[in-house]
Amino acid sequence: MRSTKSAFDNRLLQTRNHESLSSSFGVDKLLSPELIREIARTDYSFYAEYVHRGVYRPARHHRLICSYLEAVERGDITRLMIFMPPRHGKSMTVSETFPSFFIGKKPHRRVIEVSYGQDLARKFGRANRQKVEEFGRELFGIYLARDNSSVVNWDIEGNRGGMISVGIGGPITGQGADLLLIDDPIKNRKEADSKTYRDMVWNEYRNTLYTRLHPGGRIIIILTRWHEDDLAGRLLNPELGYVTAEEAAQWTVLSLPAEAEEYDPLGRNPGDPLWPEHGFDKAWLEATKRAVGSQAWAALYQQRPSPQEGSLFKRHWWRFYTELPNRFDEMLQSWDCTFKDGDSSDYVVGQVWGRVGGDFYLLDQVRDRMDLPATMRAIETLAAKWPNAYAKLIEDKANGPAVIQMLQHKIPGLLAVNPEGGKVVRAAAVSPVVEAGNVYLPPPGITPWIHDFMEECAVFPNGAYDDQVDAMTQALIRMMNRRVQIFV
């Protein structure tokens, strides 16, 4: 899989340059009609604005997508996947518009566009046909063929180029493609969870759609990720056994999560929303997390689908409290400190746990990327907030020893912990307690961060992060051992 990070600076510069053109075209109208048409012929983002008569106003992520699509048109990219959350403009930017531009640039080209259903395919075909009908002559000197111009199958007069749009499994016999565009072959969760349906999509791609591709043809797949074993997953992950490593490496992937994570292709800071100016702001992020749950959020909105159940912590094992016990037999803090400063490092996590008999309660959590001074301030703040959590467990590696040395005379109860065994061994030690229903979490409806906690546990040890799992296992092992000692 090719990285999108190396060319980011150039694309960002192009994006900023285009913003000034867009402003001139949409507001000031300082450009002459001839120059506007010339720009629309060469700049795809500008073309998309032009043919939508100003209704389409591209945001930064749309302009970045457009730069990738231009690379596809030129042939610099021949295999492209675009992952985006629902309702963030992917269809208008790509499926409803790009085929008309791709054909307009070279009218001999043919496009096959496929989606999960015929109705959606008809919408895409009609949208592109209308653009050719209204703007084809003006921009590219092309016309729709009179003898074949239905909304789902149309040609260019005097050329062999044209477009056919079908639902998955629809008839394309005898049709070839210079561009194969697949937009969301999976409609809903029911289809995504059906291996029979996923196999049908794969067989359709491998045995029908791919075989229609002309030499040098391009493929674009745009998806909202529903399942780790979807079409994109099978094409990108050789370990699933469907493709070789060489085949997987052909793909360029542009993944745009709703909430920015590390190495964001737009240069966003972690936690920043993708399209805040359209209402998808931070408040929307938190509300949607609570509404859809951790698994759907990670898959549909962050493009990180994970198995329904983890190998060590299954989702249905967790219990949730609505009221806390009147007292705790034991309370403690558990800290997992980062190895280095900077955005590329792991998170610092501090958790507060309480125990009543054989039941364990996660009471609070701090999780952020922090340098050493910020980590110390966070420990002081959490200690003041939970004064009865006397023991403060800090793993005796990374920044842990420095934290203990600097705070040991300011905060009582700092304990260096040398964990026994690896991360998986420690997780396996506490897994039965979670399975037995003895671990209680805050209610997800009022504690949004618990979604990320459960998702990290679900994909452990194969997820991108394990800091919350480490803090949890450190706390639970300590409290489990202390309870055993009391009764011995």
Side-chain angles (χ1 to χ4, degrees):
M1 182 179 69
R2 300 178 185 175
S3 171
T4 63
K5 183 174 173 57
S6 60
F8 165 69
D9 290 337
N10 289 335
R11 291 192 177 98
L12 183 59
L13 179 60
Q14 293 170 3
T15 295
R16 288 170 176 166
N17 288 341
H18 180 263
E19 285 176 349
S20 61
L21 293 175
S22 175
S23 176
S24 295
F25 171 58
V27 182
D28 300 328
K29 298 183 179 179
L30 298 177
L31 305 180
S32 68
E34 293 79 9
L35 183 55
I36 287 175
R37 287 192 290 269
E38 179 59 30
I39 297 171
R41 279 190 287 268
T42 57
D43 183 304
Y44 176 63
S45 179
F46 202 86
Y47 171 85
E49 284 191 78
Y50 187 76
V51 298
H52 286 98
R53 301 185 184 279
V55 174
Y56 174 77
R57 303 296 294 172
R60 279 205 312 156
H61 67 286
H62 300 131
R63 286 189 285 271
L64 182 60
I65 292 170
C66 289
S67 71
Y68 277 75
L69 295 176
E70 288 178 349
V72 170
E73 190 280 320
R74 293 191 304 268
D76 298 337
I77 295 175
T78 59
R79 301 289 185 272
L80 175 64
M81 291 188 193
I82 302 172
F83 304 150
M84 288 177 64
R87 298 171 52 220
H88 277 67
K90 68 180 186 300
S91 291
M92 182 175 281
T93 303
V94 188
S95 303
E96 296 180 12
T97 310
F98 183 64
S100 65
F101 182 81
F102 185 81
I103 294 170
K105 297 285 284 186
K106 293 183 179 178
H108 66 275
R109 290 168 168 167
R110 295 205 61 83
V111 175
I112 294 177
E113 185 161 8
V114 182
S115 189
Y116 59 75
Q118 187 58 39
D119 288 343
L120 187 58
R122 179 179 293 273
K123 174 187 176 184
F124 293 155
R126 179 186 293 111
N128 283 281
R129 182 186 181 277
Q130 288 176 342
K131 291 173 178 64
V132 172
E133 186 175 31
E134 293 183 36
F135 300 97
R137 177 183 178 183
E138 172 188 347
L139 296 179
F140 304 111
I142 60 175
Y143 305 82
L144 290 171
R146 297 177 181 177
D147 59 345
N148 187 27
S149 60
S150 74
V151 296
V152 295
N153 189 354
W154 47 266
D155 295 334
I156 300 299
E157 184 70 35
N159 290 274
R160 71 173 184 85
M163 176 179 177
I164 181 171
S165 50
V166 297
I168 195 78
I172 56 172
T173 303
Q175 301 288 343
D178 299 287
L179 171 63
L180 172 61
L181 200 165
I182 302 173
D183 183 326
D184 275 340
I186 292 177
K187 179 180 181 179
N188 52 33
R189 173 57 64 186
K190 181 179 179 181
E191 291 181 353
D193 288 342
S194 168
K195 188 175 186 301
T196 300
Y197 187 85
R198 297 197 307 273
D199 287 344
M200 184 276 289
V201 172
W202 174 252
N203 291 331
E204 180 70 9
Y205 171 81
R206 203 65 157 172
N207 300 323
T208 302
L209 299 175
Y210 187 84
T211 64
R212 311 315 303 170
L213 203 63
H214 292 153
R218 287 77 140 161
I219 303 175
I220 299 174
I221 299 176
I222 54 177
L223 290 169
T224 294
R225 298 295 307 275
W226 286 91
H227 198 282
E228 73 276 6
D229 184 46
D230 60 12
L231 178 60
R234 294 188 181 190
L235 287 170
L236 293 175
N237 188 357
E239 294 181 0
L240 294 179
Y242 294 95
V243 298
T244 65
E246 291 74 19
E247 288 177 300
Q250 296 176 1
W251 290 93
T252 296
V253 176
L254 175 60
S255 183
L256 295 165
E259 184 177 34
E261 299 177 336
E262 287 187 282
Y263 307 119
D264 184 71
L266 287 166
R268 293 177 293 166
N269 294 319
D272 286 350
L274 181 60
W275 201 6
E277 65 271 28
H278 200 68
F280 299 105
D281 53 17
K282 289 191 175 183
W284 175 86
L285 292 177
E286 297 304 323
T288 305
K289 284 182 189 180
R290 291 193 295 269
V292 305
S294 59
Q295 184 189 12
W297 174 258
L300 299 180
Y301 293 90
Q302 297 301 98
Q303 315 311 313
R304 290 187 285 100
S306 60
Q308 287 276 26
E309 295 182 327
S311 58
L312 287 169
F313 302 105
K314 299 183 184 295
R315 288 183 174 87
H316 68 274
W317 287 352
W318 300 106
R319 299 291 181 263
F320 302 95
Y321 56 80
T322 55
E323 294 183 3
L324 290 172
N326 293 326
R327 63 169 185 82
F328 288 103
D329 298 331
E330 180 182 8
M331 292 178 65
L332 58 77
Q333 292 183 34
S334 179
W335 285 87
D336 181 77
C337 296
T338 187
F339 279 83
K340 58 185 179 180
D341 301 342
D343 288 344
S344 63
S345 64
D346 290 336
Y347 284 89
V348 173
V349 171
Q351 296 173 349
V352 179
W353 287 85
R355 178 182 65 82
V356 177
D359 292 332
F360 306 91
Y361 294 79
L362 177 57
L363 305 176
D364 203 351
Q365 176 173 283
V366 174
R367 182 175 186 255
D368 204 350
R369 289 183 175 87
M370 307 182 204
D371 58 16
L372 187 58
T375 300
M376 292 191 295
R377 288 194 297 271
I379 293 174
E380 291 181 275
T381 300
L382 206 62
K385 182 178 180 182
W386 297 92
N388 292 331
Y390 300 121
K392 297 154 184 78
L393 311 181
I394 299 178
E395 191 169 2
D396 193 18
K397 64 178 184 180
N399 289 336
V403 168
I404 294 174
Q405 181 180 3
M406 295 181 181
L407 290 180
Q408 62 182 341
H409 298 300
K410 296 181 65 177
I411 300 176
L414 297 177
L415 300 175
V417 177
N418 289 296
E420 296 182 3
K423 295 174 181 288
V424 176
V425 172
R426 299 196 297 272
V430 306
S431 177
V433 182
V434 180
E435 182 180 5
N438 294 117
V439 178
Y440 291 83
L441 305 179
I446 60 175
T447 315
W449 55 261
I450 206 65
H451 293 288
D452 290 336
F453 173 90
M454 291 189 296
E455 194 61 29
E456 183 178 301
C457 291
V459 300
F460 181 85
N462 299 317
Y465 304 106
D466 54 23
D467 38 79
Q468 295 175 96
V469 175
D470 284 349
M472 173 188 69
T473 59
Q474 181 171 261
L476 292 182
I477 288 173
R478 164 82 177 195
M479 290 190 293
M480 289 162 58
N481 290 340
R482 291 267 295 173
R483 181 176 181 275
V484 170
Q485 291 169 7
I486 291 173
F487 285 95
V488 170

